[in-house]
Amino acid sequence: MVTNIPTNRGDGVVGDLYSTAGLFEAFERLTDVVHRTPCKESQTINEWTDSNVYLKLENLQRTGSFKIRGAFNKVSQLTDEECSRGLLAASAGNHAQGVALAGRERGIPVTIYMPKSTPDTKINATRKYGATVKLVGQNFDEAYLAAREEQFLTGASFIHPFDDLAIIEGQATVAMEMLQQQPEMDTIVVPAGGGGLLAGTALAVKTIRPSVKVIGVQASNSPAIAHVFKGVRNKNVPFLPTIAEGICVKEPGKLTVDIIRNYVDDVITVTEQEISSTILFMLEREKLLVEGAAAAGVAAVVNKRLTISSKKTGVIVSGGNFDLSKLSECMRQSTNNVQNF
């Protein structure tokens, strides 16, 4: 609801219009559902950046992504009446798996609309969780419109991937864990597409430890939130294919944008070359397979794109559902050999 959007009081702390109870209820609700993923240091990145960098490895999460947090938090609160006509969602892949698994565990049929460009790994995984998958459109926004049309016809409960307070509160639990695991952090870097994870991180951080900076990162091919955050009114905002398909969103959420405007400290972009190089770096140096969206935040750090000084930086590595057939594309686009890091 719009009335729940927090108001900036000028001190960086979440205002009175937003109840923080939902954050802590989500944290308790998900304790026995999600993995408490590692938040590990990378000696290589530490040396390269001359700082301490902590990687929150949500690529090791159930379904391979943080998205299960928001999906479970939302679906677990639906009434039987709301579930009676099934669940419906649109997703570039990771939200789909979270909703599919949450629906399966409640015994609710799930239908997911996904873009035709979605990697096969994400499509197949969603089907294995029992969901019906419909491939429509060339990007998330086109799949989203098709899903909304079916909702109008069927009355199914729509589980939005980012513009829903319960989803945002579920995603906030990533940052809440990080603040417990590495309380000395001064900055958290977050990949952003529709803005659910970034908004949730900002709410959690500014509620629990408001001195910590929150930096959003987008692909330069799909920088909608970055443009809104910086007040760019140009309607010709780039919206191009990106190897970070998980954060390729043309229209971010209204609720997420309002929260981001109030509580995020900056939103920056990274290039396709930087994302691709970072995917290879994470695979070769850290022995971790991460998808493009997850690599975006790390790319901002290793390429020294942060606009503020940070000595203890947390980075949310948001997912690991990478299509291995894209490795050759990464190698073509990468301009930095990992040996340079």
Side-chain angles (χ1 to χ4, degrees):
M1 297 290 293
V2 174
T3 54
N4 284 331
I5 295 173
T7 298
N8 195 329
R9 300 190 311 219
D11 56 4
V13 181
V14 172
D16 296 334
L17 289 181
Y18 179 79
S19 170
T20 60
L23 297 174
F24 298 99
E25 289 169 1
F27 192 83
E28 291 297 323
R29 188 176 291 119
L30 296 176
T31 297
D32 295 327
V33 173
V34 302
H35 298 321
R36 185 179 174 90
T37 54
C39 193
K40 69 176 288 289
E41 275 194 83
S42 165
Q43 191 61 39
T44 302
I45 299 178
N46 285 358
E47 293 175 358
W48 177 249
T49 61
D50 191 28
S51 62
N52 293 96
V53 177
Y54 310 101
L55 304 176
K56 179 60 170 171
L57 301 181
E58 286 292 287
N59 59 309
L60 304 181
Q61 186 55 264
R62 293 182 70 187
T63 74
S65 164
F66 76 95
K67 285 283 192 174
I68 191 175
R69 296 173 181 264
F72 257 91
N73 194 50
K74 176 65 177 181
V75 172
S76 66
Q77 297 179 68
L78 295 176
T79 65
D80 290 341
E81 174 62 25
E82 289 173 317
C83 297
S84 63
R85 296 184 181 178
L87 304 181
L88 188 62
S91 172
N94 289 334
H95 178 64
Q97 294 174 66
V99 174
L101 181 55
R104 188 180 75 179
E105 296 205 356
R106 281 198 64 177
I108 309 166
V110 176
T111 300
I112 309 288
Y113 278 74
M114 305 172 83
K116 294 177 182 177
S117 57
T118 303
D120 289 342
T121 51
K122 295 182 178 181
I123 295 170
N124 294 336
T126 302
R127 286 174 172 153
K128 286 180 180 178
Y129 288 125
T132 298
V133 174
K134 297 185 179 182
L135 300 177
V136 178
Q138 299 305 313
N139 53 57
F140 164 78
D141 296 84
E142 293 178 3
Y144 173 82
L145 290 176
R148 282 300 199 183
E149 288 177 4
E150 177 162 331
Q151 182 201 20
F152 178 78
L153 295 172
T154 64
S157 289
F158 190 82
I159 312 299
H160 202 287
F162 45 83
D163 208 29
D164 182 297
L165 192 58
I167 295 289
I168 293 168
E169 289 170 340
Q171 318 306 27
T173 62
V174 180
M176 295 170 80
E177 287 182 11
M178 294 176 75
L179 292 171
Q180 289 182 338
Q181 292 167 312
Q182 299 293 345
E184 67 275 22
M185 290 184 303
D186 57 50
T187 305
I188 297 181
V189 179
V190 190
L197 180 60
L198 180 55
T201 299
L203 288 179
V205 167
K206 301 308 179 181
T207 296
I208 299 169
R209 196 163 299 136
S211 62
V212 174
K213 303 297 184 184
V214 178
I215 308 296
V217 182
Q218 294 206 282
S220 58
N221 277 10
S222 183
I225 290 177
H227 279 239
V228 171
F229 183 84
K230 296 181 185 300
V232 176
R233 300 299 180 186
N234 184 0
K235 293 184 179 180
N236 296 319
V237 175
F239 185 60
L240 302 170
T242 169
I243 198 164
E245 80 284 336
I247 53 173
C248 187
V249 176
K250 187 175 184 179
E251 294 289 341
K254 291 181 174 62
L255 176 57
T256 57
V257 165
D258 281 330
I259 294 171
I260 289 164
R261 278 173 165 163
N262 276 288
Y263 300 110
V264 169
D265 296 282
D266 200 4
V267 182
I268 60 179
T269 63
V270 288
T271 67
E272 292 299 293
Q273 290 80 10
E274 289 168 338
I275 295 170
S276 296
S277 297
T278 302
I279 291 171
L280 296 177
F281 164 77
M282 292 291 282
L283 186 59
E284 294 188 18
R285 290 297 187 87
E286 299 297 325
K287 312 307 177 188
L288 293 168
L289 182 65
V290 304
E291 59 189 270
V298 183
V301 174
V302 299
N303 288 283
K304 304 178 182 178
R305 297 289 186 223
L306 301 190
T307 55
I308 62 174
S309 176
S310 175
K311 284 297 183 182
K312 295 183 183 296
T313 309
V315 186
I316 298 180
V317 181
S318 56
N321 294 314
F322 182 71
D323 187 345
L324 291 175
S325 67
K326 289 188 175 181
L327 274 178
S328 59
E329 181 183 346
C330 280
M331 296 178 71
R332 286 195 305 271
Q333 290 193 6
S334 175
T335 58
N336 296 320
N337 188 290
V338 293
Q339 296 300 320
N340 291 333
F341 289 119

